[in-house]
Amino acid sequence: MAVLIETSVGDLVIDLKVDHAPKACLNFLKLCKMKYYNNCLVHTVQKDFIAQTGDPTNTGKGGASMYSKLPGLAKRFFEDEINIALKHNVRGTVAMANDKLDENGSQFYITLRDRVEHLDGKHTIFGTVAEGFEILDKINSAMVDENDAPYQNIRIWHTEILDDPYPDPDGLESLIPPKSPEVIKDEEFKKIEDAEDE
């Protein structure tokens, strides 16, 4: 079970842990199908720690689960799926980002180093990066402001589901756009060396 995430700095492939976090994987896959993540910024990059995205308001405070969109549910968040077998022990671990217990919406983070043990048992791990580690290097090297927001926008342009084991819930079909939203092209991501040459 995997998803391709096309970003403004390159592509990532995320393998999903459907056996360990079925709700989080269902949520992620169906939000991808709804094109919910298209044009979301990587709004926070904490070097050698995590990169966070998945908020369509691009503020770090928004986003809602797939369940909030379906008829009769109106549920912004879903519950944690903490599995003691899953740890933040490898770079590229993908987990739900939340401020409070059982408040998982659409935001997620990717670890930028091995062994981020203090997050174990606090967030729902639902995937790992399988391809695109050089893209994590690019994200990790981004220059950021005092709020850890990259100076140059790093954006999810498109998501493509490579394998989806879940049937679509009732009401989802009407939420899937006929085509992807137009890609927002920001100023081209430059390497620091290029900036120094100017």
PDB file of all heavy atoms in Angstrom, residues 126-147:
ATOM      1  N   PHE A 126       1.946   5.928  10.679  1.00  0.00           N
ATOM      2  CA  PHE A 126       1.161   5.201   9.673  1.00  0.00           C
ATOM      3  C   PHE A 126       1.917   4.922   8.384  1.00  0.00           C
ATOM      4  O   PHE A 126       1.356   4.347   7.442  1.00  0.00           O
ATOM      5  CB  PHE A 126      -0.160   5.932   9.373  1.00  0.00           C
ATOM      6  CG  PHE A 126      -0.008   7.263   8.686  1.00  0.00           C
ATOM      7  CD1 PHE A 126      -0.037   7.359   7.299  1.00  0.00           C
ATOM      8  CD2 PHE A 126       0.141   8.426   9.420  1.00  0.00           C
ATOM      9  CE1 PHE A 126       0.090   8.581   6.660  1.00  0.00           C
ATOM     10  CE2 PHE A 126       0.263   9.661   8.790  1.00  0.00           C
ATOM     11  CZ  PHE A 126       0.242   9.736   7.409  1.00  0.00           C
ATOM     12  N   GLY A 127       3.197   5.284   8.334  1.00  0.00           N
ATOM     13  CA  GLY A 127       3.934   5.004   7.107  1.00  0.00           C
ATOM     14  C   GLY A 127       5.419   5.268   7.243  1.00  0.00           C
ATOM     15  O   GLY A 127       5.891   5.755   8.278  1.00  0.00           O
ATOM     16  N   THR A 128       6.145   4.926   6.185  1.00  0.00           N
ATOM     17  CA  THR A 128       7.570   5.237   6.090  1.00  0.00           C
ATOM     18  C   THR A 128       7.887   5.617   4.645  1.00  0.00           C
ATOM     19  O   THR A 128       7.262   5.111   3.702  1.00  0.00           O
ATOM     20  CB  THR A 128       8.465   4.040   6.477  1.00  0.00           C
ATOM     21  OG1 THR A 128       8.056   2.893   5.740  1.00  0.00           O
ATOM     22  CG2 THR A 128       8.414   3.741   7.950  1.00  0.00           C
ATOM     23  N   VAL A 129       8.850   6.504   4.492  1.00  0.00           N
ATOM     24  CA  VAL A 129       9.308   6.876   3.155  1.00  0.00           C
ATOM     25  C   VAL A 129      10.087   5.693   2.577  1.00  0.00           C
ATOM     26  O   VAL A 129      11.007   5.173   3.211  1.00  0.00           O
ATOM     27  CB  VAL A 129      10.187   8.143   3.207  1.00  0.00           C
ATOM     28  CG1 VAL A 129      10.853   8.402   1.857  1.00  0.00           C
ATOM     29  CG2 VAL A 129       9.345   9.346   3.618  1.00  0.00           C
ATOM     30  N   ALA A 130       9.683   5.256   1.388  1.00  0.00           N
ATOM     31  CA  ALA A 130      10.351   4.139   0.708  1.00  0.00           C
ATOM     32  C   ALA A 130      11.316   4.634  -0.363  1.00  0.00           C
ATOM     33  O   ALA A 130      12.348   4.015  -0.614  1.00  0.00           O
ATOM     34  CB  ALA A 130       9.315   3.213   0.078  1.00  0.00           C
ATOM     35  N   GLU A 131      10.969   5.760  -0.989  1.00  0.00           N
ATOM     36  CA  GLU A 131      11.822   6.352  -2.030  1.00  0.00           C
ATOM     37  C   GLU A 131      11.785   7.866  -1.880  1.00  0.00           C
ATOM     38  O   GLU A 131      10.761   8.435  -1.509  1.00  0.00           O
ATOM     39  CB  GLU A 131      11.309   5.987  -3.434  1.00  0.00           C
ATOM     40  CG  GLU A 131      11.358   4.518  -3.763  1.00  0.00           C
ATOM     41  CD  GLU A 131      10.737   4.219  -5.123  1.00  0.00           C
ATOM     42  OE1 GLU A 131      10.848   5.062  -6.042  1.00  0.00           O
ATOM     43  OE2 GLU A 131      10.117   3.152  -5.251  1.00  0.00           O
ATOM     44  N   GLY A 132      12.939   8.488  -2.184  1.00  0.00           N
ATOM     45  CA  GLY A 132      12.996   9.946  -2.154  1.00  0.00           C
ATOM     46  C   GLY A 132      13.763  10.512  -0.979  1.00  0.00           C
ATOM     47  O   GLY A 132      13.506  11.636  -0.548  1.00  0.00           O
ATOM     48  N   PHE A 133      14.744   9.766  -0.480  1.00  0.00           N
ATOM     49  CA  PHE A 133      15.503  10.257   0.673  1.00  0.00           C
ATOM     50  C   PHE A 133      16.322  11.505   0.329  1.00  0.00           C
ATOM     51  O   PHE A 133      16.570  12.346   1.189  1.00  0.00           O
ATOM     52  CB  PHE A 133      16.382   9.151   1.253  1.00  0.00           C
ATOM     53  CG  PHE A 133      15.582   8.124   2.004  1.00  0.00           C
ATOM     54  CD1 PHE A 133      15.177   6.955   1.381  1.00  0.00           C
ATOM     55  CD2 PHE A 133      15.198   8.340   3.313  1.00  0.00           C
ATOM     56  CE1 PHE A 133      14.407   6.010   2.057  1.00  0.00           C
ATOM     57  CE2 PHE A 133      14.425   7.409   3.999  1.00  0.00           C
ATOM     58  CZ  PHE A 133      14.028   6.240   3.377  1.00  0.00           C
ATOM     59  N   GLU A 134      16.696  11.636  -0.946  1.00  0.00           N
ATOM     60  CA  GLU A 134      17.400  12.854  -1.356  1.00  0.00           C
ATOM     61  C   GLU A 134      16.470  14.068  -1.272  1.00  0.00           C
ATOM     62  O   GLU A 134      16.922  15.203  -1.072  1.00  0.00           O
ATOM     63  CB  GLU A 134      17.990  12.698  -2.767  1.00  0.00           C
ATOM     64  CG  GLU A 134      16.993  12.684  -3.913  1.00  0.00           C
ATOM     65  CD  GLU A 134      16.223  11.365  -4.107  1.00  0.00           C
ATOM     66  OE1 GLU A 134      16.383  10.426  -3.302  1.00  0.00           O
ATOM     67  OE2 GLU A 134      15.441  11.304  -5.077  1.00  0.00           O
ATOM     68  N   ILE A 135      15.163  13.835  -1.399  1.00  0.00           N
ATOM     69  CA  ILE A 135      14.191  14.925  -1.260  1.00  0.00           C
ATOM     70  C   ILE A 135      14.091  15.328   0.219  1.00  0.00           C
ATOM     71  O   ILE A 135      13.993  16.518   0.541  1.00  0.00           O
ATOM     72  CB  ILE A 135      12.803  14.499  -1.809  1.00  0.00           C
ATOM     73  CG1 ILE A 135      12.929  13.974  -3.244  1.00  0.00           C
ATOM     74  CG2 ILE A 135      11.813  15.652  -1.719  1.00  0.00           C
ATOM     75  CD1 ILE A 135      13.716  14.851  -4.188  1.00  0.00           C
ATOM     76  N   LEU A 136      14.147  14.350   1.113  1.00  0.00           N
ATOM     77  CA  LEU A 136      14.186  14.687   2.541  1.00  0.00           C
ATOM     78  C   LEU A 136      15.426  15.519   2.853  1.00  0.00           C
ATOM     79  O   LEU A 136      15.367  16.443   3.682  1.00  0.00           O
ATOM     80  CB  LEU A 136      14.177  13.411   3.391  1.00  0.00           C
ATOM     81  CG  LEU A 136      12.900  12.570   3.377  1.00  0.00           C
ATOM     82  CD1 LEU A 136      13.016  11.437   4.396  1.00  0.00           C
ATOM     83  CD2 LEU A 136      11.657  13.409   3.655  1.00  0.00           C
ATOM     84  N   ASP A 137      16.551  15.210   2.199  1.00  0.00           N
ATOM     85  CA  ASP A 137      17.765  16.013   2.400  1.00  0.00           C
ATOM     86  C   ASP A 137      17.533  17.465   1.975  1.00  0.00           C
ATOM     87  O   ASP A 137      17.956  18.398   2.658  1.00  0.00           O
ATOM     88  CB  ASP A 137      18.936  15.438   1.602  1.00  0.00           C
ATOM     89  CG  ASP A 137      19.424  14.101   2.143  1.00  0.00           C
ATOM     90  OD1 ASP A 137      19.184  13.814   3.339  1.00  0.00           O
ATOM     91  OD2 ASP A 137      20.043  13.341   1.370  1.00  0.00           O
ATOM     92  N   LYS A 138      16.866  17.642   0.827  1.00  0.00           N
ATOM     93  CA  LYS A 138      16.580  19.004   0.352  1.00  0.00           C
ATOM     94  C   LYS A 138      15.692  19.752   1.344  1.00  0.00           C
ATOM     95  O   LYS A 138      15.917  20.923   1.648  1.00  0.00           O
ATOM     96  CB  LYS A 138      15.869  18.970  -1.016  1.00  0.00           C
ATOM     97  CG  LYS A 138      16.764  18.654  -2.186  1.00  0.00           C
ATOM     98  CD  LYS A 138      15.955  18.762  -3.475  1.00  0.00           C
ATOM     99  CE  LYS A 138      16.759  18.377  -4.683  1.00  0.00           C
ATOM    100  NZ  LYS A 138      15.983  18.472  -5.924  1.00  0.00           N
ATOM    101  N   ILE A 139      14.644  19.067   1.817  1.00  0.00           N
ATOM    102  CA  ILE A 139      13.730  19.699   2.777  1.00  0.00           C
ATOM    103  C   ILE A 139      14.480  20.040   4.062  1.00  0.00           C
ATOM    104  O   ILE A 139      14.333  21.145   4.616  1.00  0.00           O
ATOM    105  CB  ILE A 139      12.529  18.770   3.058  1.00  0.00           C
ATOM    106  CG1 ILE A 139      11.674  18.611   1.796  1.00  0.00           C
ATOM    107  CG2 ILE A 139      11.687  19.302   4.210  1.00  0.00           C
ATOM    108  CD1 ILE A 139      10.594  17.533   1.885  1.00  0.00           C
ATOM    109  N   ASN A 140      15.312  19.131   4.522  1.00  0.00           N
ATOM    110  CA  ASN A 140      16.052  19.329   5.766  1.00  0.00           C
ATOM    111  C   ASN A 140      17.024  20.508   5.671  1.00  0.00           C
ATOM    112  O   ASN A 140      17.333  21.147   6.675  1.00  0.00           O
ATOM    113  CB  ASN A 140      16.811  18.046   6.135  1.00  0.00           C
ATOM    114  CG  ASN A 140      17.312  18.056   7.557  1.00  0.00           C
ATOM    115  OD1 ASN A 140      16.641  18.527   8.466  1.00  0.00           O
ATOM    116  ND2 ASN A 140      18.503  17.530   7.760  1.00  0.00           N
ATOM    117  N   SER A 141      17.499  20.787   4.458  1.00  0.00           N
ATOM    118  CA  SER A 141      18.476  21.868   4.278  1.00  0.00           C
ATOM    119  C   SER A 141      17.822  23.227   4.034  1.00  0.00           C
ATOM    120  O   SER A 141      18.514  24.222   3.855  1.00  0.00           O
ATOM    121  CB  SER A 141      19.419  21.530   3.117  1.00  0.00           C
ATOM    122  OG  SER A 141      18.719  21.569   1.890  1.00  0.00           O
ATOM    123  N   ALA A 142      16.491  23.280   4.029  1.00  0.00           N
ATOM    124  CA  ALA A 142      15.797  24.545   3.752  1.00  0.00           C
ATOM    125  C   ALA A 142      16.120  25.588   4.817  1.00  0.00           C
ATOM    126  O   ALA A 142      16.189  25.282   6.013  1.00  0.00           O
ATOM    127  CB  ALA A 142      14.288  24.302   3.707  1.00  0.00           C
ATOM    128  N   MET A 143      16.331  26.809   4.366  1.00  0.00           N
ATOM    129  CA  MET A 143      16.514  27.919   5.304  1.00  0.00           C
ATOM    130  C   MET A 143      15.136  28.318   5.835  1.00  0.00           C
ATOM    131  O   MET A 143      14.184  28.438   5.066  1.00  0.00           O
ATOM    132  CB  MET A 143      17.195  29.098   4.618  1.00  0.00           C
ATOM    133  CG  MET A 143      18.610  28.794   4.171  1.00  0.00           C
ATOM    134  SD  MET A 143      19.407  30.199   3.376  1.00  0.00           S
ATOM    135  CE  MET A 143      19.614  31.284   4.780  1.00  0.00           C
ATOM    136  N   VAL A 144      15.037  28.524   7.149  1.00  0.00           N
ATOM    137  CA  VAL A 144      13.748  28.790   7.780  1.00  0.00           C
ATOM    138  C   VAL A 144      13.813  30.065   8.622  1.00  0.00           C
ATOM    139  O   VAL A 144      14.892  30.534   8.992  1.00  0.00           O
ATOM    140  CB  VAL A 144      13.297  27.604   8.672  1.00  0.00           C
ATOM    141  CG1 VAL A 144      13.102  26.348   7.835  1.00  0.00           C
ATOM    142  CG2 VAL A 144      14.295  27.342   9.797  1.00  0.00           C
ATOM    143  N   ASP A 145      12.618  30.607   8.923  1.00  0.00           N
ATOM    144  CA  ASP A 145      12.548  31.786   9.777  1.00  0.00           C
ATOM    145  C   ASP A 145      12.472  31.379  11.247  1.00  0.00           C
ATOM    146  O   ASP A 145      12.635  30.203  11.579  1.00  0.00           O
ATOM    147  CB  ASP A 145      11.369  32.687   9.363  1.00  0.00           C
ATOM    148  CG  ASP A 145      10.007  32.031   9.567  1.00  0.00           C
ATOM    149  OD1 ASP A 145       9.903  31.035  10.318  1.00  0.00           O
ATOM    150  OD2 ASP A 145       9.025  32.516   8.975  1.00  0.00           O
ATOM    151  N   GLU A 146      12.207  32.355  12.114  1.00  0.00           N
ATOM    152  CA  GLU A 146      12.192  32.072  13.560  1.00  0.00           C
ATOM    153  C   GLU A 146      11.046  31.156  13.975  1.00  0.00           C
ATOM    154  O   GLU A 146      11.047  30.594  15.072  1.00  0.00           O
ATOM    155  CB  GLU A 146      12.139  33.380  14.369  1.00  0.00           C
ATOM    156  CG  GLU A 146      10.872  34.203  14.201  1.00  0.00           C
ATOM    157  CD  GLU A 146      10.861  35.088  12.950  1.00  0.00           C
ATOM    158  OE1 GLU A 146      11.809  35.009  12.143  1.00  0.00           O
ATOM    159  OE2 GLU A 146       9.896  35.867  12.784  1.00  0.00           O
ATOM    160  N   ASN A 147      10.057  30.970  13.073  1.00  0.00           N
ATOM    161  CA  ASN A 147       8.939  30.050  13.349  1.00  0.00           C
ATOM    162  C   ASN A 147       9.099  28.706  12.642  1.00  0.00           C
ATOM    163  O   ASN A 147       8.143  27.936  12.552  1.00  0.00           O
ATOM    164  CB  ASN A 147       7.614  30.696  12.927  1.00  0.00           C
ATOM    165  CG  ASN A 147       7.327  31.957  13.721  1.00  0.00           C
ATOM    166  OD1 ASN A 147       7.454  31.964  14.940  1.00  0.00           O
ATOM    167  ND2 ASN A 147       6.958  33.029  13.034  1.00  0.00           N
TER     168      ASN A 147
END
